[in-house]
Amino acid sequence: MRRNKVIGVLMILMGVLVLLYKNDGFYGWGRYIDKSWENIIISTVIIVIGVLFIKKGKKNQKAR
């Protein structure tokens, strides 16, 4: 259980760091493309995976 909790917390922290990461966009398709939506989507996926790891650890602890 402890290993899943540690992995989950690290995944959540990594998701927060990705969310706070500022990455400049680029010019393409005749306009400026901002990468903020990519960062939001990636961080949300990472945070959800971290929460699932924590819940999996709690579920395994109840079964024992």
Side-chain angles (χ1 to χ4, degrees):
M1 193 298 274
R2 177 121 174 106
R3 186 176 71 193
N4 284 340
K5 186 176 180 181
V6 170
I7 292 172
V9 170
L10 289 175
M11 294 282 284
I12 291 172
L13 290 175
M14 187 172 32
V16 171
L17 287 175
V18 169
L19 184 62
L20 296 176
Y21 178 70
K22 175 144 175 57
N23 193 2
D24 292 333
F26 58 92
Y27 285 96
W29 298 294
R31 62 186 175 104
Y32 183 74
I33 308 292
D34 190 15
K35 292 186 176 183
S36 63
W37 282 107
E38 292 176 17
N39 288 347
I40 292 170
I41 292 170
I42 291 170
S43 66
T44 303
V45 168
I46 293 173
I47 289 171
V48 168
I49 291 172
V51 169
L52 291 176
F53 264 100
I54 291 173
K55 287 193 177 205
K56 180 182 175 188
K58 287 182 181 179
K59 186 177 178 182
N60 287 342
Q61 183 183 19
K62 290 180 182 178
R64 290 182 181 183

